[in-house]
Amino acid sequence: MGAYINKVLENIKKASQPTFLQAATEVLHSIEPILRADKRYEQHSILERLVVPEKVTQFRIVWIDDKGKAQTNLGYRVQFSSALGPYKGGLRFHPSVNLDVLKFLGFEQIFKNSLTGLMIGGGKGGSDFDPKGKSEGEIMRFCQAFMLELSKIIGANTDVPAGDIGVGGREIGYMFGAYKKLTNLFDGTLTGKGLKWGGSLARTEATGYGCVYFADEMLKKAKDSLEGKVCSVSGSGNVAIYTIEKLAAFGAKAVTISDSSGFVYDKEGIDLELLKEIKEVKRGRVSDYAKAKKGAEFVSVDKYKKGTNGVWSVKCDGAFPSATENELNLADIKTLYKNGCRFVAEGANMPSSLESINFMLAQKDFHFAPAKAANAGGVATSQLEMQQNAGMAQWSFEEVDKKLHNIMKDIFHNSYETAKEFKHSGNLVVGSNIAGFRKVAEAMLEHGYC
Ligand code: NDP
Ligand code: 2IT
């Protein structure tokens, strides 16, 4: 079976896409037990088919900056798998976006979406556009220009994008406005919409809340709880903010936030109202938080020890990486562990390197909640938004939040039981990847070769 997996990975290596290769390596090796138990997957070339996106669209985006100059960016949509439903996944606006990054994100999305138990396929898109330092008018014109092309390939029953890094409620609003005008449709083609025009209550909070619900379930299984835990959180965007909010509701205390300029340590616990004001209203930086909050300390990235992420040098009981991929490396996890950290719940996509995952799985007294399972609450609630749109309904916050909580509990138990079934008790990487894979692979077998 190892030979089959390596053959598929060799083909990916040829494409020189290191981030996608990393994601595929983790998934393919961890599902080896089911490939060995059920030979149909190899017989019907499931892996070879699964690692190739069904369709990739790359397009040019031309927009006009405030000086009247035409600017050009690249736009993409990777429609990876429609085995379980319409393509579903976010849009990322960040200068690091390229096909490699979007293939990794789209690939992860297939299994994550499968784990939610809802009818959604996997996809991802975005642009190398950098929203930092852009005016409101520039953001709007970029979003409109992006939608000019994207609108041709998406639809409520075809492909339903949402937010990700650099894309929040404001950008979804501008894109929806353009989509509506271009297509003459008012439907559920984007999720994360505003509450007055089809958005779901609790979608904004869903990824962070979901990640904490998952961590709570994981700790409960180990006869422990979040109560009284000191937690380190990275990032300071959508996922980080609502992780911090829900941690407080569970009696835990988040003491860090970060961005690409540095991190803040606030021993007293992050002041959520201040953080929301700085990030959601003023669109500021974490250094502004340290300036405004007495006792909070800002450490800039140039002070980080080489090859490490400073935010993980803070002593904590548990860590919630919620910024970006590969932000928690082997040296970081060793520091966290040495300082007493005993669990990690991934809010970001692939924040931990393969080496750090292996380190966590090797510790008997450590609990690791992998991204595909732990951060699935965002996309799950997006699917609840699609359900509400299809029925022209709006559910209450409590109703959506309750459904989200139940989905996260189900994902935990499904992953936990699947790991046990395949003789890897407690290994949620194996459990979640096999549980996610099995459903997609079965659908592919039933659909025939396509
Ligand atoms: P936001 O844009 O709201 O926030 C991103 C945060 O991460 C910012 O603080 C940003 O800092 C930081 N960050 C981004 N890139 C880097 C980098 N290269 N180095 C250091 N810091 C960085 O995004 P989200 O909160 O929505 O997304 C965060 C993570 O969660 C991503 O991995 C995303 O894919 C994942 N995710 C998001 C979901 C959602 O519903 N939004 C759902 C599931 C996963 P700065 O401002 O300096 O760039
Ligand atoms: O990575 C993710 O799951 C997201 N960015 C959310 C995708 C969605 O469609 O809500």
Side-chain angles (χ1 to χ4, degrees):
M1 199 45 62
Y4 174 44
I5 292 169
N6 286 334
K7 187 184 86 185
V8 176
L9 290 173
E10 264 322 303
N11 280 336
I12 300 179
K13 270 184 206 151
K14 283 186 206 143
S16 299
Q17 293 176 332
T19 328
F20 175 48
L21 179 63
Q22 180 184 339
T25 302
E26 181 218 287
V27 171
L28 299 201
H29 282 303
S30 68
I31 63 173
E32 193 167 338
I34 195 174
L35 299 176
R36 202 173 290 146
D38 193 335
K39 294 288 186 294
R40 291 173 310 148
Y41 303 129
E42 184 175 0
Q43 258 162 28
H44 294 283
S45 309
I46 290 291
L47 294 191
E48 291 89 330
R49 291 153 60 192
L50 199 53
V51 299
V52 178
E54 289 174 15
K55 201 179 286 177
V56 174
T57 309
Q58 186 192 307
F59 47 93
R60 184 177 72 186
I61 307 154
V62 184
W63 56 281
I64 304 182
D65 71 15
D66 285 347
K67 295 190 186 102
K69 184 153 172 36
Q71 297 290 343
T72 306
N73 283 98
L74 288 173
Y76 307 84
R77 187 73 182 163
V78 177
Q79 297 176 320
F80 225 122
S81 168
S82 60
L84 296 181
Y87 306 109
K88 181 84 196 86
L91 297 169
R92 179 178 288 193
F93 293 169
H94 194 272
S96 63
V97 164
N98 58 33
L99 192 55
D100 175 32
V101 167
L102 293 178
K103 278 178 71 177
F104 124 63
L105 288 163
F107 188 68
E108 295 277 295
Q109 203 81 45
I110 304 171
F111 307 100
K112 181 197 305 194
N113 294 5
S114 166
L115 277 174
T116 65
L118 304 167
M119 266 180 60
I120 32 178
K124 202 86 187 190
S127 171
D128 60 359
F129 171 74
D130 186 358
K132 277 202 196 78
K134 300 292 188 298
S135 72
E136 195 69 25
E138 287 176 327
I139 299 278
M140 189 196 295
R141 290 194 295 279
F142 174 79
C143 288
Q144 290 168 340
F146 183 75
M147 191 47 83
L148 216 48
E149 283 298 330
L150 192 72
S151 61
K152 295 173 188 166
I153 55 167
I154 59 174
N157 295 306
T158 320
D159 183 350
V160 183
D164 194 78
I165 290 178
V167 178
R170 171 180 64 169
E171 292 74 20
I172 294 290
Y174 294 149
M175 285 192 268
F176 188 75
Y179 171 82
K180 199 158 55 74
K181 209 166 158 73
L182 288 161
T183 62
N184 206 26
L185 294 168
F186 194 116
D187 61 17
T189 298
L190 290 165
T191 59
K193 297 187 291 299
L195 298 178
K196 295 181 217 62
W197 38 277
S200 174
L201 284 152
R203 173 61 189 92
T204 304
E205 294 84 354
T207 310
Y209 278 21
C211 190
V212 176
Y213 291 148
F214 191 95
D216 170 57
E217 215 54 30
M218 177 174 76
L219 292 183
K220 262 201 228 142
K221 192 80 191 174
K223 306 212 170 353
D224 197 352
S225 85
L226 283 166
E227 179 76 40
K229 296 280 190 296
V230 172
C231 298
S232 207
V233 176
S234 67
S236 49
N238 173 268
V239 179
I241 290 172
Y242 293 96
T243 294
I244 294 171
E245 182 163 295
K246 191 47 86 179
L247 279 173
F250 274 86
K253 180 168 80 170
V255 292
T256 61
I257 44 173
S258 73
D259 61 23
S260 51
S261 334
F263 80 91
V264 165
Y265 174 44
D266 186 347
K267 200 163 63 188
E268 283 174 12
I270 297 294
D271 177 335
L272 196 66
E273 289 321 304
L274 176 62
L275 176 63
K276 282 187 180 175
E277 172 71 18
I278 288 169
K279 294 300 301 181
E280 295 182 339
V281 182
K282 296 185 177 146
R283 296 184 183 274
R285 313 291 297 157
V286 296
S287 53
D288 299 327
Y289 177 96
K291 278 180 208 143
K293 176 81 193 291
K294 212 169 138 232
E297 179 193 344
F298 173 69
V299 180
S300 62
V301 281
D302 52 294
K303 303 268 168 21
Y304 292 3
K305 214 168 112 188
K306 201 165 172 279
T308 72
N309 182 349
V311 72
W312 308 127
S313 63
V314 171
K315 189 173 156 49
C316 63
D317 301 310
F320 290 78
S322 310
T324 193
E325 57 270 17
N326 289 322
E327 55 162 326
L328 203 169
N329 295 309
L330 185 60
D332 299 316
I333 190 64
K334 284 186 172 167
T335 304
L336 281 167
Y337 189 77
K338 186 168 72 72
N339 287 340
C341 174
R342 287 297 177 267
F343 66 92
V344 163
E346 296 185 321
N349 284 307
M350 206 169 75
S352 310
S353 66
L354 285 172
E355 295 76 20
S356 58
I357 293 176
N358 288 337
F359 179 89
M360 291 186 267
L361 294 177
Q363 312 309 314
K364 292 261 177 303
D365 57 350
F366 201 92
H367 306 286
F368 175 54
K372 285 182 215 76
N375 75 31
V379 74
T381 308
S382 275
Q383 206 275 3
L384 300 180
E385 183 170 326
M386 290 163 72
Q387 287 186 42
Q388 291 169 76
N389 292 162
M392 295 279 193
Q394 188 168 45
W395 306 335
S396 69
F397 188 96
E398 290 68 30
E399 197 175 345
V400 180
D401 188 34
K402 196 165 160 213
K403 284 181 197 284
L404 166 67
H405 200 159
N406 284 333
I407 289 169
M408 297 315 295
K409 284 184 190 171
D410 287 349
I411 296 176
F412 172 77
H413 291 288
N414 186 11
S415 303
Y416 187 87
E417 292 305 324
T418 307
K420 208 150 98 186
E421 181 188 340
F422 287 91
K423 315 248 172 317
H424 282 73
S425 271
N427 183 332
L428 297 176
V429 175
V430 166
S432 61
N433 284 340
I434 292 184
F437 167 81
R438 178 152 55 183
K439 214 171 133 201
V440 177
E442 287 303 317
M444 288 172 76
L445 290 175
E446 287 166 19
H447 290 164
Y449 297 155
C450 58

